[in-house]
Amino acid sequence: MHATPVIPTTTPTMRATATPGRRVTDAPTRMFHWLFALSFLGAYVTADGESWRLLHVTLGYTLAGLLVFRVLYGLLGPRQAGLGLMWRKLVGAPAWLRSLTHSRSLAGINWRQGQNLLMALAVVALLLLVVPLTLSGYATYNDWGDFLGGDWLEDVHEFFGEAFLFVVLAHLALIAGLSLLRRKNQALPMLTGRIDGKGPDLVQKNRAWLAALLLLAVLAFGAWEWQQSSHGLIPARAWNSPAAGQAHDDD
C-alpha cells in the first residue's frame, strides 16, 4: 500500500501583520500642539488691519487658554506629558555643553542629547513667550498704554510676536533637519502619536476623550466670542470678496 500524503490543515501567513508601532504621544498633547500652532498662525495673519482685530484678539485669548491647559496637564497628566521631563532635559544642558570641549572627536559627542535639548528648549521658549505676548496684546486692546503716551505697548506686542515667529521657524527648521538626518519624518508622531519599532507603549492611555473636550472648549469659546460681536469675527468684506461672489454665482 502507498501511504496517502497528509495535507497540512494550516497554511503559512502570506502577509505579515502590520504593526502600529509604539505610542509615544497621547491625544491631548497632540490636540494641544495643533490648536496652539493654528491659533498663533491665525493671530499672526490677522495682526494687521482693524477689521480683523476681534478675530486676532480671540485667537490670542485662545493661546492663553491653551497655555493654561498645557501647564495643568503637565502638572497633573502622565509623566510623558509632564513639564518636569522637559525641565530635566534643560538641566542637562551645562553638562552637554562641557562635553563639547572635552570630547576628542565629533563621534564622541552625544548628538542625540543635543537634538533633544534643542527641541525641549524651543518648546519651553514658545510656552514662556505666550505670557508676555498675550499680556501685551490684552493691554494694547484695552489702551493701557495711553497714560504714558505713544504706541509703546503695540511695539512691545509686535516684538514678542516676531520673537514667537522666530522660535516657531527655528523649531520647524530643527524638525526638518532631524528628519533629513535620521531619514524619518520627525513630525509624524505629533500626527499619529506613534513611532516605528517594537516594544511597549510609552503612553499607556491615549485619552482621546480629553482631546475631544479640549477641541470642543476651543470651538465653544470661538462661537461665544462670535455671538458677543455684533458683526462677528470675520469682516463682511471677506464674505463679499470676488472669490466668494463667484462661488455664490456658481450655486
Side-chain angles (χ1 to χ4, degrees):
M1 295 179 63
H2 297 284
T4 303
V6 178
I7 301 176
T9 57
T10 58
T11 57
T13 302
M14 301 302 296
R15 293 181 300 175
T17 304
T19 56
R22 298 190 300 157
R23 183 188 294 127
V24 294
T25 310
D26 60 11
T29 302
R30 302 197 309 273
M31 182 63 71
F32 161 81
H33 177 274
W34 293 112
L35 289 176
F36 196 76
L38 290 175
S39 296
F40 172 73
L41 177 61
Y44 189 86
V45 170
T46 57
D48 295 330
E50 187 66 24
S51 57
W52 294 94
R53 192 179 190 189
L54 288 177
L55 179 58
H56 175 78
V57 171
T58 299
L59 292 172
Y61 290 158
T62 303
L63 274 177
L66 288 170
L67 174 64
V68 172
F69 168 82
R70 186 63 184 90
V71 171
L72 291 177
Y73 194 60
L75 295 175
L76 305 176
R79 183 180 64 86
Q80 289 75 15
L83 299 179
L85 187 60
M86 288 188 288
W87 175 251
R88 285 192 292 272
K89 291 179 180 180
L90 296 179
V91 168
W96 185 79
L97 291 175
R98 287 193 298 269
S99 70
L100 297 180
T101 58
H102 297 159
S103 179
R104 296 181 179 180
S105 64
L106 294 177
I109 300 175
N110 189 346
W111 292 111
R112 183 172 290 272
Q113 181 185 0
Q115 295 161 6
N116 293 334
L117 176 63
L118 288 176
M119 193 71 71
L121 182 62
V123 173
V124 171
L126 289 174
L127 294 178
L128 292 178
L129 281 173
V130 173
V131 177
L133 180 62
T134 54
L135 287 178
S136 60
Y138 182 83
T140 301
Y141 183 65
N142 291 278
D143 300 323
W144 286 7
D146 288 351
F147 68 95
L148 292 178
D151 299 327
W152 64 278
L153 270 178
E154 292 185 12
D155 295 336
V156 170
H157 185 59
E158 183 177 354
F159 168 79
F160 283 112
E162 296 298 330
F164 198 101
L165 178 64
F166 174 80
V167 178
V168 168
L169 294 178
H171 180 62
L172 294 176
L174 179 60
I175 293 176
L178 291 178
S179 298
L180 292 174
L181 182 64
R182 299 177 182 178
R183 297 181 179 180
K184 184 183 297 184
N185 189 346
Q186 298 298 304
L188 198 58
M190 268 303 166
L191 288 171
T192 64
R194 295 182 176 274
I195 60 174
D196 295 333
K198 298 180 180 179
D201 292 338
L202 298 182
V203 177
Q204 299 300 321
K205 297 181 180 180
N206 194 34
R207 296 179 176 86
W209 61 270
L210 184 56
L213 284 179
L214 179 60
L215 177 60
L216 287 175
V218 170
L219 293 177
F221 175 70
W224 183 79
E225 286 287 341
W226 189 297
Q227 293 295 326
Q228 296 302 305
S229 174
S230 57
H231 302 290
L233 299 179
I234 299 178
R237 62 181 178 84
W239 302 110
N240 298 328
S241 63
Q246 180 64 35
H248 180 72
D249 293 340
D250 292 340
D251 293 340

